[in-house]
Amino acid sequence: FFFFDCASSTGPTVFPHRLCLLMPRASKSPARSRSPASDKPLAMRRTPRKAAPPARLGDGDNWGSSPASKWAPPPEPTPTKPAERGKALFDAEDSTAKNKKKAKAGGVLQWYRSRREAKPWVYGLLEGAAFAAAGELVATCIIKQQSADPMRLLFFAGWGAVVAFCVAPWLKLLSSLTLSRPSRLLDSMGKAVLNQLTMTPLLTLVFVAAWEVMLKKTPVPELATRGVGPISEPFTDRYKRTAVFWLTADFVNLLLVPNNYRFLVALAMGAIWAVLSSHMTT
């Protein structure tokens, strides 16, 4: 390209200082500075594309089991009466209240269980006293239709704590023993009989002696001087009834109840026996 000077009569005149503007310059772009070998594509598809027709909704997908001409809108919900709506709301509120009570009761039981696991002996004594005192109240106030005697109530509460203190380790020892390995039935029966021959007569003797001293006001020196004569007759009569009741209760407890709940079941049976014992004892 040349620039002409139209005012000159001698012909075209080239301006050298403008030739540098027409010359191509070297590019500084990194894309143009690559070697020809780097222009090859980084990845090439080797498998041909499969041309498939577009899928149609309802064909082969088990979505529409009938032709479109037979499709119908869903039925409208039946309007409920105001009374039915009110009853449904009441049932929902009642269910919510029951769920809250269950959750609260579950929280209380969980709290008591954690406390009992932390101090099993303390809570075991309290449970034994509570069960025995409850049995005395039921026998006196409900069965006999009499007013509660504070001394009898205190005696049965203390007796329940003593029984819980003695029965807890003894029941744990019985659960660890194996008297008959092939038969669980014979094993439970043997343990129940063993309990009636060892722990039951000992506790019965202590109960009769404590009853003579605390409620019948028999002095301890006089009781020791007279020997076992004053308590032999009530002991024999009470031991017969105690052995019959606790033989059945221990057999069921050892046969059917898991180890973790045997002590609580024994306390519950003790409450039933406290009702019978209070009713029989005068």
Side-chain angles (χ1 to χ4, degrees):
F1 297 91
F2 298 96
F3 291 90
F4 296 92
D5 188 1
C6 299
S8 176
S9 59
T10 59
T13 303
V14 178
F15 298 92
H17 63 279
R18 294 188 177 181
L19 289 177
C20 61
L21 300 177
L22 302 178
M23 295 294 292
R25 296 182 180 181
S27 176
K28 297 181 180 181
S29 174
R32 293 183 175 273
S33 62
R34 293 182 303 179
S35 61
S38 64
D39 294 339
K40 294 182 179 181
L42 298 179
M44 298 180 63
R45 187 181 182 92
R46 299 181 180 275
T47 57
R49 295 181 179 273
K50 295 181 179 180
R56 183 176 179 182
L57 185 63
D59 288 347
D61 55 4
N62 200 21
W63 185 81
S65 58
S66 60
S69 60
K70 295 183 179 180
W71 292 355
E76 297 182 359
T78 305
T80 58
K81 298 180 181 180
E84 295 179 355
R85 290 198 298 268
K87 184 177 182 302
L89 292 175
F90 177 78
D91 293 341
E93 293 177 357
D94 188 34
S95 177
T96 303
K98 289 181 179 179
N99 292 335
K100 289 183 179 180
K101 290 182 180 179
K102 290 181 180 179
K104 187 176 181 180
V108 172
L109 291 177
Q110 186 68 23
W111 173 83
Y112 183 79
R113 182 180 299 176
S114 61
R115 294 282 183 172
R116 195 182 188 285
E117 290 177 354
K119 299 178 179 179
W121 281 104
V122 176
Y123 283 87
L125 297 179
L126 293 177
E127 289 168 356
F131 276 106
E136 161 63 17
L137 288 176
V138 170
T140 303
C141 300
I142 298 179
I143 298 178
K144 296 181 180 180
Q145 298 292 328
Q146 299 176 359
S147 59
D149 186 0
M151 286 301 299
R152 286 175 62 99
L153 187 62
L154 181 62
F155 175 82
F156 274 93
W159 175 248
V162 171
V163 171
F165 179 80
C166 298
V167 167
W170 175 248
L171 190 60
K172 187 176 181 180
L173 178 62
L174 279 181
S175 301
S176 63
L177 295 177
T178 304
L179 301 181
S180 177
R181 189 175 299 275
S183 176
R184 186 179 178 184
L185 186 69
L186 295 177
D187 182 70
S188 302
M189 178 58 70
K191 292 177 181 178
V193 172
L194 179 62
N195 190 28
Q196 308 318 308
L197 296 177
T198 53
M199 184 60 68
T200 299
L202 177 62
L203 292 178
T204 303
L205 180 62
V206 174
F207 178 88
V208 174
W211 186 271
E212 290 287 336
V213 173
M214 295 184 64
L215 295 182
K216 290 190 175 183
K217 307 299 181 181
T218 304
V220 177
E222 180 182 350
L223 186 63
T225 302
R226 293 187 306 179
V228 296
I231 62 175
S232 60
E233 183 178 352
F235 168 78
T236 304
D237 183 55
R238 184 177 180 83
Y239 176 69
K240 291 179 181 179
R241 300 176 182 178
T242 304
V244 171
F245 177 84
W246 281 107
L247 180 64
T248 307
D250 290 340
F251 173 69
V252 173
N253 192 9
L254 294 170
L255 180 64
L256 302 178
V257 181
N259 293 340
N260 297 335
Y261 300 97
R262 286 177 180 174
F263 180 67
L264 292 178
V265 173
L267 292 181
M269 294 292 183
I272 299 174
W273 174 244
V275 174
L276 300 175
S277 178
S278 178
H279 184 66
M280 293 183 299
T281 307
T282 58

